[in-house]
Amino acid sequence: MTNRMKEFQTQKTPLFVPFITAGDPSPEATVDLALALQQEGASALELGIPYSDPLADGPVIQRASLRALKNGMSLEKAIQLVSIMREKGLTIPVIIFTYYNLLLQLGEQKFFELAAQHDIDGLLVPDMPFEESKELHEACQQHDLSFISLAAPTTSKERLGEISRTAQGFLYCISSLGVTGTRTSFAKDLNRFLENAKASSQVPVLVGFGLSSREQMQQFEGKCDGFIMGSAIVKKIEELGPELVNEETKEKAIAAFSDFLSKVVPVKKVYS
């Protein structure tokens, strides 16, 4: 585990982990957006790798992937982009969110070499079942990366305990079934699911999939250690896309993005 991830685990809650797609709307804008997210209170960053068949993602992130692929973004280029973020002042952990096919195409050993060169802190592979992830899980440990595990609300208590006890970095608890995307309601008995996860996890428990406002986060007061937000952020980036890639309007667009974030990033008063 990197020192950045160790510091992440000791931060005051609520933790906030946003998701953005590498290369959307451009590689340069991705760097600017990452820095804006850090400035507005992100505890870590999930950097999504664009993929042509993102099974876990809804329409908003699918569109972002297509835009990024048109810009020539790849897993290797996204990892290299993190070094630029670091040079410009990004200090929070970066977790690579990639489907396994892309990891397989690049090669696991090549991935770990690049991760070490470019200051990556974690790996999340949404289409890899827990039972099939042992070797990759162990390889991440050997290379000081946190392998982020996911758990769904339909997971049995026994299986949830096993996933929780072996989780690294943080445990990603899915708020509802289906693909990513903003929602108005979440899985039945979600609070109980989060309580069970907290009871057996040695790492922070974060909830994601569908969160888009502070008001929604308040529903889970005291039941988790933080939140993951993707589609709502990616949708805002989509709206600002033309301005973000225009040098004359980029600064104004980043200010608008930061203003949006200031209204959704969880703050301590969420738990008051």
Side-chain angles (χ1 to χ4, degrees):
M1 187 192 308
T2 64
N3 287 332
R4 284 182 295 268
M5 190 57 79
K6 290 176 182 176
E7 291 173 6
F8 166 88
Q9 292 182 338
T10 59
Q11 288 180 32
K12 293 181 180 179
T13 57
L15 298 166
F16 179 63
V17 179
F19 170 100
I20 58 174
T21 300
D24 177 44
S26 71
E28 297 77 15
T30 301
V31 174
D32 293 332
L33 292 165
L35 294 170
L37 285 161
Q38 175 175 268
Q39 180 65 32
E40 292 301 323
S43 310
L45 173 69
E46 268 187 27
L47 187 62
I49 310 304
Y51 184 44
S52 59
D53 190 22
L55 298 177
D57 294 312
V60 170
I61 295 177
Q62 286 180 20
R63 292 195 299 270
S65 282
L66 289 175
R67 291 191 295 269
L69 288 170
K70 287 179 181 178
N71 289 332
M73 187 51 59
S74 66
L75 175 54
E76 184 169 359
K77 289 179 181 178
I79 294 171
Q80 293 167 345
L81 204 59
V82 177
S83 278
I84 301 173
M85 296 176 185
R86 299 290 186 208
E87 289 168 7
K88 294 196 172 185
L90 192 77
T91 59
I92 59 176
V94 175
I95 294 112
I96 296 295
F97 180 112
T98 183
Y99 289 89
Y100 187 66
N101 190 44
L102 298 178
L103 191 60
L104 193 62
Q105 288 178 5
L106 179 64
E108 289 184 16
Q109 190 54 44
K110 178 68 171 178
F111 169 79
F112 288 121
E113 290 171 3
L114 289 169
Q117 291 171 19
H118 298 285
D119 287 333
I120 303 301
D121 302 276
L123 174 65
L124 198 165
V125 185
D127 58 344
M128 176 166 277
F130 173 71
E131 289 78 10
E132 297 175 18
S133 66
K134 184 177 179 182
E135 289 185 8
L136 188 55
H137 191 284
E138 292 175 350
C140 282
Q141 278 189 308
Q142 293 168 8
H143 292 87
D144 294 326
L145 291 181
S146 296
F147 184 78
I148 308 301
S149 297
L150 296 103
T154 52
T155 305
S156 68
K157 190 173 181 179
E158 181 182 358
R159 187 169 183 267
L160 177 60
E162 188 177 356
I163 295 172
S164 300
R165 285 189 293 273
T166 59
Q168 301 173 357
F170 62 86
L171 177 63
Y172 190 141
C173 286
I174 297 169
S175 68
S176 49
L177 301 180
V179 296
T180 58
T182 57
R183 287 175 170 79
T184 56
S185 61
F186 301 99
K188 185 180 179 182
D189 294 332
L190 181 57
N191 283 344
R192 185 181 300 173
F193 165 57
L194 294 174
E195 288 171 355
N196 290 336
K198 282 278 289 175
S200 54
S201 179
Q202 301 300 308
V203 297
V205 172
L206 276 64
V207 61
F209 264 56
L211 297 176
S212 60
S213 69
R214 282 184 182 161
E215 289 72 25
Q216 288 179 330
M217 296 174 197
Q218 285 177 319
Q219 297 179 40
F220 312 113
E221 181 178 340
K223 301 296 192 303
C224 65
D225 301 302
F227 308 95
I228 300 160
M229 185 181 290
S231 292
I233 290 172
V234 175
K235 185 176 181 181
K236 188 64 180 180
I237 293 170
E238 182 176 45
E239 292 172 7
L240 295 169
E243 298 169 56
L244 286 165
V245 297
N246 184 326
E247 281 299 319
E248 294 182 0
T249 57
K250 181 178 73 172
E251 188 174 337
K252 182 179 178 181
I254 290 294
F257 182 66
S258 296
D259 181 63
F260 161 79
L261 290 172
S262 71
K263 297 177 174 63
V264 299
V265 174
V267 291
K268 200 65 183 175
K269 67 181 180 182
V270 170
Y271 284 150
S272 63

